Amino acid sequence: MAYAAISSLMYTLEQLFKPNQSFVCPCSTQQHVENLNQNLSALQDFLDDTTTKDIETLKVVEKRIRDVVYKAEDKVDSSLRSIILADSTESREGAAKFFEEELVKVEKDVDSLRKEVTVVEFNKHGTKSAELATTPFSPDQKSTIVENTVVGMKDDFNIILDRLTAQTDELIVIPILGMGGIGKTTLARKVYDDSCIRSRFDKLAWVTISQEYNERQMLLEVVSSITTKGSQEMSNDELMEIVYRGLKGRRFLIVIDDIWSTEAWDQMQRIFPNDDNKSRILLTTRLKYVADYVNCPDFPPHSKSFLSLEDSWNLFTEKLFKKDQCPPLLVEIGKHIVQQCQGLPLSIVVVAGLLGKMDLTHDNWKNVEENLSSFFGTVSERCQSILSLSYNYLPQYLKACFLYVGGFPEDREINVSQLIRLWIAEQFVKARNNKRLEVVAEEYVQELIDRSLILMDSLTTNGRMKTFKIHDLLRQLCLSETHTENVVHIMNGNVPMFLLEAIDDQRRVILLSKLEEKQVYPPMHSNGITSIARTFISMQYFQYDDFPEGIYSIFSAFKLLKVLDVLTVWYDFSSVIPELVHLRYVAAGIEEGLSLDKLRNLQTIILHKNIGANRPTKSEQPLDIWRMSELRHVDIDSPRYISNPLEAENPLFLNNLQNLYLYNSHFFEEIIKRTPNLKTLKFLDESEHPDWSAILDSLILLEELEKLVIQLERMNVNIFCGDILYCKIKKLSPNIKKLKLLGTYIPWEVVNLLAYLPNLEVIEGEYAFSGTDWKLDEDVVFSKLKYLLIGEADLERWEAAASDNFPMLEKLILYGFNKLDEIPESIGDIMTLKLIKIDDCSSSVENSAKRIQQEQQSLGNYELQLRITSKESATSESSSS
């Protein structure tokens, strides 16, 4: 992507002015850097501001920008690397001189590029293919794809019908929201054509908008529906008057299909009178912010969901066999093929159409089943004209983010936190309104969800996004675009040798499956320089015995890497990493000590010992991170540890560091004092007598802390005995939302003090609490606690006025309670409680949980779910839907 390429180069240049760098720009070079940055910024503004239907010309311009900027980045990175790795003053001075010469060339190239692209003239009406991509489908055109077959939409149909016929007098707008091809238009058409609806309204009109709002076309469509007057020669103002007068005083239904902007709605709504006569507007869109903008408070947007497998099969057979039955011999294979559509009606209809062109024989369908990837490649091509609209409509800053998602394995739950760290390292995320980059990136994820391009999958215990998925057809769209845009190159183990040579010209390489030894080769760019790849990610697990030896040469050739994620590869990367001086993100297995001294741009460091590695390692391996001002995430596993900042040369305060995982740290207090803005701290300690008074004093310094994890490996140390915690708990960060404790054995009376944390939403404890009695007085109030998990406790009696103590609790999870007599009955009185989960507890705990649910049901509360897994592993569930 041109936009992302510019961001990456600008970031590299900006680092040259920071004092912690191995090479600091001399005055003679600074002016060239500033001029270059200004031109790059102008190019980015040009891309941001360009809105055109001429998609083909825009892609040509983007490719031109991308190619020039990539070559510029290659020159800058290669020459900077020579400076950083220079082993003598003489060679360093020579490398610096060469860098300045390269910089002058790059400055001229980019300046010429800026002048070139800013005079490009776009076709106002778009190119022919662009017109096809943005021209709205008429209802008749759409029917050739979906044929208005309503299968599995009965609930959707009834919901929309109820809203259209609601007794509310005022004009109501009813949005239908969902991804392209999910059946929004089909649903709207079914409702629009329903005889009850047509008889209910005096005037009905169907308007298709699509991406480019055409006011005149919209007016002509409405006028043709509500009057027989000739209208082609009228002005827009005259058409508006006809529409307004034609609808005034009459009950009307207007369907606005495929609207893409709030601006279009603002222009349209003024022509629709509100006479409090139960008129309605039904609207379809892929964009949540549009749906939220137009809907009425009492009628939220209706999200069109995917079809179940049963409904998918019914739609498929209705399309292919009409009223006939599917031959029994084809049912099993057919259902397997249809399952790959993942409930998307558009995909199902296309599959039925393609199979309908074959002879309906078992051998033909079996051949399709055995070659699903190839077959669904054809399906994807047939669907792209509809799905690509969503991609083309994305703002520049989201395009690379979306395409990057396509690099993850098919059907994979994608971890939001990991993806955000990668996006930031790739420079896809731009600062916005003084927000942390992680917050902005979360907003990017939400925007992609709201644009119906990715699907929320799971939430964390405190309700934040944890994982999401992408539909296979949209992933195929990503892969198609990435091939064009050179964003991500996917390597699969079944790719022939000659295709792997394509890596040489790829900026990012993602390995999804195992490689054979014969497929591995040292990549060398055609002009003889080191491979230009900036990202290498392995998503396939490799053990020592199945990892091709030849792949080591690949890593040694990727000298310009900025992202290296090979945590799935059981190999010692300690000799590779120090040479990769441009790294911003590293996640790898390490067995030996290493120096990161020359890696000053690191943002994410994840260094773990290889699982299952039996090779001996040094007992202590200090790692100096105190010159890395860009660090945002650090997870360094034993036996490595972060060195003492007081012993480092000119140590910095790591103000950007958000997440820190410390394992058996020798210098906890010193480290915490130099990482003041931490949001997440995970602390694991195996020592027998840590200085908890000093540790808690250090924690008090972390005013921004939101998540705290403490894990102790020594059992029964009872770290909070005495008065250590009593006077300090109130001083902890008021921003703490999640507290996870393992092996801490805190007395129950100390647990009550956690109520002083005003924003605490989640408590998770395993072997965390100690004592036989837990009494909560009415004045102990966990005012925002939503999630309480307690495991493996020796509690016998629990007294609580639960609705007062936990007024916002939603989930209570207990496991390993063998002595507890009962759960307090008042737990059931908590109005927000949705779930009680009991695992491996005594029968008295199970019975008390059942009584709580029964009591609530007797009071009419059927929302409380109860899940019990007994010691005998017989699982019972009692829930209400």
Side-chain angles (χ1 to χ4, degrees), residues 32 95 183 234 268 272 307 391 439 515 662 708 727 776 868:
H32 297 300
M234 294 182 180
M268 294 178 67
F272 303 126
L307 298 181
Y391 171 72
V439 173
L515 297 176
L662 291 175
L708 176 61
C727 59
L776 294 115
I868 298 176

Side-chain angles (χ1 to χ4, degrees), residues 375-423:
F375 179 74
F376 273 90
T378 304
V379 172
S380 176
E381 291 173 8
R382 299 289 178 92
C383 299
Q384 291 309 303
S385 61
I386 291 177
L387 298 179
S388 62
L389 294 176
S390 295
Y391 171 72
N392 291 333
Y393 198 72
L394 283 174
Q396 284 286 340
Y397 65 86
L398 277 182
K399 285 187 174 180
C401 294
F402 173 61
L403 297 185
Y404 206 83
V405 172
F408 284 76
E410 190 174 10
D411 300 326
R412 169 75 66 88
E413 293 180 4
I414 300 172
N415 183 277
V416 172
S417 296
Q418 180 194 16
L419 180 69
I420 283 175
R421 290 194 293 270
L422 287 167
W423 278 355

Side-chain angles (χ1 to χ4, degrees), residues 647-713:
E647 297 175 0
E649 183 180 351
N650 299 319
L652 301 174
F653 282 88
L654 304 185
N655 294 322
N656 287 315
L657 191 60
Q658 308 291 307
N659 308 313
L660 177 60
Y661 300 168
L662 291 175
Y663 300 87
N664 299 320
S665 175
H666 303 283
F667 313 107
F668 185 90
E669 300 97 283
E670 293 85 350
I671 291 170
I672 295 303
K673 288 175 182 178
R674 288 193 171 266
T675 55
N677 297 322
L678 287 181
K679 297 289 183 181
T680 299
L681 174 63
K682 179 178 179 180
F683 177 50
L684 182 148
D685 193 282
E686 295 177 334
S687 62
E688 292 187 15
H689 303 290
D691 185 354
W692 281 103
S693 180
I695 288 173
L696 290 170
D697 284 337
S698 301
L699 292 177
I700 291 170
L701 299 176
L702 300 177
E703 297 180 358
E704 303 297 319
L705 194 64
E706 294 181 359
K707 178 180 177 182
L708 176 61
V709 180
I710 299 176
Q711 180 176 352
L712 304 183
E713 294 298 308

Side-chain angles (χ1 to χ4, degrees), residues 564-579:
L564 176 66
D565 191 337
V566 284
L567 209 56
T568 60
V569 179
W570 293 8
Y571 172 67
D572 181 12
F573 287 89
S574 56
S575 62
V576 175
I577 293 171
E579 297 293 311

Side-chain angles (χ1 to χ4, degrees), residues 148-159 181-188 190 302 304-305 307 311 315 345:
N148 296 324
T149 303
V150 181
V151 174
M153 295 189 189
K154 184 176 180 180
D155 290 342
D156 297 299
F157 177 82
N158 288 334
I159 289 171
I182 203 167
K184 302 182 299 297
T185 300
T186 301
L187 176 60
K190 181 67 176 177
H302 177 69
K304 179 68 182 69
S305 56
L307 298 181
D311 289 332
L315 175 60

Side-chain angles (χ1 to χ4, degrees), residues 34 106 120 165 279 328-329 488 597 634 698 723:
E34 289 172 1
V106 166
V120 170
T165 57
S279 291
L329 196 61
V488 178
D597 184 55
V634 175
S698 301
D723 298 327

